[in-house]
Amino acid sequence: MCGIIGIIGKAPVTPLLIDALKRLEYRGYDSAGVATLINGHIDRRRAEGKLVNLEARLKVEPLPGTIGIGHTRWATHGKPSERNAHPIATDRVAIVHNGIIENFQELKDELVAEGRRFDTDTDTEAVAQLLTSYLERQMSPEAAMGKAMERLRGAFALVAMFSGRHDILMGARRGSSLAVGHGNGEMYVGTDALALAPFTSRVTYLEDDDWVVLNSTGCTVYQGTTTVERPEKKSGLSGALIGKGNHQHFMLKEIYEQPAVVGDTLQSYLDPATRSVRTPSLPLDWTKVSRVTMTACGTAFYACMVAKYWFEKLARMPVEIEVASEFRYREPPLPEGGVCIAVSQSGETIDTLEALRYAKSQKQILLSVVNVPESAIARLSHAVLPTLAGPEIGVASTKAFTTQLIVLLNTAIAAGRARGTLSREQEEKLALAMIELPARINETLNMEDDYRRIAESTLAAARDVLYLGRGSSFPVALEGALKLKELSYIHAEGYAGGEMKHGPIALIDDAVPVVVVAPSDAIFDKIASNFEQVRARGGKLVLLSDAQGVARLGAKAETSIAVPDIDPVVAPILYTVAVQLLAYYTALAKGTDIDQPRNLAKSVTVE
Ligand code: M6R
C-alpha cells in the first residue's frame, strides 16, 4: 500500500525522493507525487498511474528544493486521480499519508463548519486542514502535531512538511510503519528500511503513537507531550539485496532464490549434523498448550492451512486456523493456555495485527512467523520465529511462503518432540527430507521450460482454471489458484478434490483446465478417483505428481509434469514451487504486470 518518503537534504532532493519511491513501488500504488519547499513555499508535482508519469511531469516542470516529501498512493478514499494524489497540501502544510483516518468525516464536518474548503476526496485532507487550522491559531508545528495526534483515529503513518520551515519535517505513526534514517547532516523518514536503504543503514523504528520532529542533525520522538527514547539500529539491507539481478521480474528472481533462502531458514531451525530440529526458546511448554490458533491473510493463511495438517499429525494438537479479517470481528472465546501464531511476510498486515491483538486480549501466548523482524506484528508477539527470506519485492508472495512453511514445519516437529508424539526416527526422516529440499527445488526450477510450455499451451488461453488437491495438497491447490488469478487475471479456484462432486464438477468441460496437485501419498488413490471424475466429463487435466504418480495417471492427462520425489510431509513446499512457475509463465504469456498486479498491494495496511 502507500509508500512514504521525506528528506531533509543538502542538495536538491527530488531525484532522491523519486529513487526512494521506486523502491517503494513494490507495495502497490495507483498515483504518485512529490513536494518540496521553494523559498518557503510548498510546491508539488503529482500524477495518476505509475512513477514514469510523475517523472515525465518533472522533466517538463522540475522541482528544486533541498527538503521534500514523496508518496505512492494506493487509493482508499477517492479515486486514483491527480487531484487526490499526495502530497495533499494547504498553503501551510503538505502531508503524505498511509492508512486510514477513521474519523475523517467528523473532522471534516468540524473544519467545514469553521469555513475551510476541501479540495480532494481523501481522508488525508482532514489531517492537512486540521493542522492548518491549528497553525492559523498561532500554534507551532510541534504543538499542532501533538494536538492533531489526540484527534486522529485509525491506523496510519504520515509525514508533514511546513511552509516557511526548511529546517524540519514531522512524522507520526499509529498502526502503520514509519522509520527515521540518520545521515550526515541529512535526515530521512520513510515507510520502511527498504525506502531508506541506499541513503543510510542507521535506522530508528517508530512505535505506535509516536510522533517525531526531524531536523538536519537528528530527531526527537514524542508520545503525547513527553519525549521518548527510541534506539538507533543498523539495518542489514543493501542496494544489492533489493535489485532484480539478471531476472526479468522480481517475482522470478524470488522464485529462484528459494533454494538459498529455504536453506538459510533451515540452517537456523534444523541441525543437519544431528538431523534434529533446533528447539527455539519459546515462552511456552508444548505439553501444556491447550490449543493452537493460527491466523493470517491470503497466501500466509494457506501456510496456516498446511501447518494445521502438520501440527495435528506430528504433535497431535488441536489447531484452529482463522482468516484474520473474520477472526477479529467474530470474537470467539479462546481457551486458557492457548497459543496464537500469526503468520505474515510484511508483519504489517492490519487484519493480522488486529487479530493478534484480539488473541492478546484473550490471554493467549503470541508467536509470530514474520519476514520483517522490526514489524508491528513481531513487536506485539511474545516470541518471533523469523523467516530468512530476505526482502520480497514482487507483490506475489513466493519465497516468503515457502520459508513460512519451513518455520512452521520445524515448529510442529519441535512441538511433537516435546509432547512425545513424534519418534526420534520420524524426526530424523523429516529432517533428511528437509535437508534435501533445496536440491529438489533446484531440480524443479531446472524444469522451468516444461512449466512454461503448459502455461503457454493450456493455461494462458483459459477463462477459468480449477486446481484440485487433497490433504496438505489442498492448500497448495488454493495457493496455485490465488497465484494464477492475481498475476494473470484468469479466474481460478482451488478445491479439495473430494468436494468436486458436490458442485464444482458442473463447471467441467473441455475449455476448463484442471490442475491436479497429487504427490504419491496415503490419499493418492482418492485424488486419482477425483481425477477420473474430471476426465469422464471431458476436463483438460494437468497433472503435477512424482514419477510414480505420472506413471499411473500421466497417460490420461492432457499434460503432466513429474515433480522430483520427496517425502509426502514435505511435499507441499516443493509443489508450491511448481504452481508458482505455472502462474508466472501464464502471466508472462499474457503480458500482465507481474511484479505489481493491478489493484494489489504488497503490504495491506488498511482494512
Ligand atoms: O504480508 P502478509 O504475509 O501478511 O500478506 C498477506 C497477504 O496480503 C499476501 O499473502 C497476499 O495474499 C499476496 N498477494 C499473495 O501472493
Side-chain angles (χ1 to χ4, degrees):
M1 304 224 137
C2 309
I4 288 177
I5 181 70
I7 302 177
I8 303 176
K10 295 181 201 160
V13 289
T14 298
L16 301 181
L17 294 172
I18 295 291
D19 266 6
L21 292 182
K22 284 184 180 163
R23 284 189 298 280
L24 288 167
E25 275 192 300
Y26 78 98
R27 296 172 64 86
Y29 69 105
D30 31 45
S31 62
V34 286
T36 60
L37 280 187
I38 299 165
N39 299 326
H41 295 289
I42 294 164
D43 201 353
R44 49 187 178 149
R45 306 283 179 269
R46 298 173 297 161
E48 196 181 319
K50 295 292 179 191
L51 277 172
V52 284
N53 300 346
L54 179 62
E55 287 183 289
R57 183 78 190 276
L58 283 162
K59 263 205 182 105
V60 184
E61 295 174 83
L63 196 60
T66 57
I67 179 169
I69 57 180
H71 192 258
T72 47
R73 172 176 187 251
W74 190 86
T76 58
H77 294 67
K79 62 181 185 175
S81 59
E82 181 176 337
R83 191 171 70 94
N84 290 329
H86 298 206
I88 300 291
T90 65
D91 57 343
R92 308 288 294 254
V93 67
I95 302 279
V96 288
H97 158 227
N98 173 21
I100 288 180
I101 306 299
E102 280 171 3
N103 59 335
F104 83 96
Q105 192 60 52
E106 174 193 323
L107 295 171
K108 184 172 177 176
D109 292 346
E110 282 175 30
L111 291 156
V112 167
E114 263 180 33
R116 302 199 165 273
R117 212 194 70 224
F118 278 64
D119 292 327
T120 74
D121 309 315
T122 64
D123 53 338
T124 311
E125 191 172 359
V127 187
Q129 295 283 2
L130 183 67
L131 286 171
T132 303
S133 157
Y134 292 152
L135 293 166
E136 285 178 2
R137 285 183 240 165
Q138 311 308 322
M139 281 187 200
S140 66
E142 290 85 347
M145 182 60 89
K147 196 164 166 58
M149 280 298 274
E150 291 170 14
R151 289 298 318 273
L152 302 180
R153 287 207 308 271
F156 57 82
L158 56 90
V159 169
M161 181 176 73
F162 299 85
S163 59
R165 295 298 302 266
H166 286 258
D167 53 335
I168 58 166
L169 286 178
M170 285 192 198
R173 71 153 283 180
R174 181 175 295 154
S176 304
S177 62
L178 197 66
V180 173
H182 303 258
N184 286 329
E186 294 180 319
M187 288 293 286
Y188 312 91
V189 57
T191 302
D192 57 27
L194 273 182
L196 309 175
F199 303 144
T200 178
S201 57
R202 293 162 50 210
V203 176
T204 298
Y205 296 93
L206 298 182
E207 303 274 338
D208 266 352
D209 291 323
D210 282 356
W211 59 277
V212 63
V213 184
L214 290 87
N215 59 34
S216 61
T217 56
C219 69
T220 310
V221 184
Y222 297 84
Q223 282 253 330
T225 51
T226 318
T227 58
V228 286
E229 286 304 315
R230 299 285 176 237
E232 188 183 305
K233 299 193 174 171
K234 189 126 183 81
S235 149
L237 292 176
S238 72
L241 266 177
I242 54 179
K244 231 185 279 184
N246 293 327
H247 294 281
Q248 195 178 345
H249 294 101
F250 279 109
M251 183 187 177
L252 191 63
K253 174 184 174 241
E254 288 156 6
I255 288 175
Y256 269 83
E257 280 172 351
Q258 288 177 114
V261 297
V262 161
D264 290 347
T265 308
L266 273 175
Q267 279 293 333
S268 87
Y269 288 88
L270 186 77
D271 181 355
T274 59
R275 292 168 186 173
S276 53
V277 301
R278 299 183 203 275
T279 323
S281 138
L282 297 177
L284 55 82
D285 173 351
W286 285 113
T287 63
K288 299 206 170 75
V289 171
S290 55
R291 194 178 92 180
V292 175
T293 304
M294 303 184 71
T295 188
C297 302
T299 289
F301 177 70
Y302 299 146
C304 300
M305 278 183 88
V306 178
K308 178 177 166 70
Y309 287 89
W310 288 333
F311 273 92
E312 287 174 351
K313 184 181 166 75
L314 307 174
R316 305 298 302 146
M317 298 185 78
V319 178
E320 294 294 329
I321 50 172
E322 302 274 0
V323 168
S325 53
E326 290 296 317
F327 176 55
R328 53 182 290 207
Y329 291 111
R330 218 175 69 239
E331 301 188 355
L334 299 180
E336 210 174 299
V339 167
C340 179
I341 308 180
V343 181
S344 172
Q345 186 284 127
S346 60
E348 299 291 341
T349 302
I350 193 79
D351 287 320
T352 310
L353 177 63
E354 293 301 330
L356 198 63
R357 281 211 176 105
Y358 173 70
K360 185 176 184 190
S361 76
Q362 295 285 298
K363 306 204 170 18
Q364 303 294 287
I365 299 166
L366 310 181
L367 305 184
S368 59
V369 177
V370 292
N371 199 35
V372 183
E374 299 295 342
S375 59
I377 290 175
R379 281 186 276 125
L380 184 64
S381 309
H382 295 120
V384 178
L385 297 162
T387 51
L388 304 179
E392 191 179 68
I393 308 291
V395 162
S397 180
T398 52
K399 59 177 181 166
F401 180 62
T402 43
T403 53
Q404 283 162 358
L405 292 177
I406 292 290
V407 172
L408 291 166
L409 176 53
N410 280 281
T411 309
I413 294 172
R417 183 210 285 167
R419 292 166 63 85
T421 54
L422 190 75
S423 68
R424 176 70 197 124
E425 293 69 43
Q426 285 169 306
E427 179 172 346
E428 207 165 321
K429 184 168 171 273
L430 289 173
L432 274 174
M434 283 191 277
I435 292 165
E436 276 183 22
L437 248 180
R440 299 290 94 83
I441 296 176
N442 251 329
E443 287 168 31
T444 307
L445 296 173
N446 287 340
M447 295 170 68
E448 67 169 345
D449 286 344
D450 296 339
Y451 291 94
R452 182 198 280 260
R453 185 176 42 76
I454 296 178
E456 288 171 357
S457 65
T458 310
L459 301 184
R463 204 191 61 177
D464 310 287
V465 178
L466 297 184
Y467 284 72
L468 300 186
R470 293 189 78 135
S472 59
S473 297
F474 169 39
V476 179
L478 291 168
E479 170 62 1
L482 177 64
K483 283 282 99 74
L484 190 75
K485 74 182 114 180
E486 70 180 336
L487 294 172
S488 70
Y489 316 146
I490 293 172
H491 169 242
E493 298 296 337
Y495 286 101
E499 273 294 290
M500 274 296 287
K501 55 189 176 293
H502 298 290
I505 202 159
L507 297 174
I508 303 295
D509 64 22
D510 60 5
V512 181
V514 181
V515 180
V516 182
V517 183
S520 296
D521 56 14
I523 46 174
F524 183 83
D525 287 345
K526 304 292 170 199
I527 193 86
S529 306
N530 306 140
F531 183 96
E532 294 291 0
Q533 290 154 9
V534 174
R535 185 164 175 257
R537 283 149 187 93
K540 241 190 221 173
L541 284 150
V542 176
L543 175 67
L544 301 180
S545 188
D546 42 34
Q548 202 186 324
V550 169
R552 222 177 118 187
L553 291 180
K556 299 176 182 173
E558 154 114 2
T559 177
S560 57
I561 295 194
V563 177
D565 285 348
I566 193 89
D567 186 291
V569 174
V570 179
I573 306 173
L574 189 61
Y575 281 71
T576 292
V577 178
V579 297
Q580 290 168 354
L581 287 170
L582 282 182
Y584 175 80
Y585 283 113
T586 305
L588 193 68
K590 295 204 73 175
T592 52
D593 188 346
I594 291 181
D595 282 334
Q596 291 161 38
R598 70 184 178 205
N599 304 337
L600 290 179
K602 183 69 183 162
S603 182
V604 184
T605 51
V606 298
E607 283 190 52

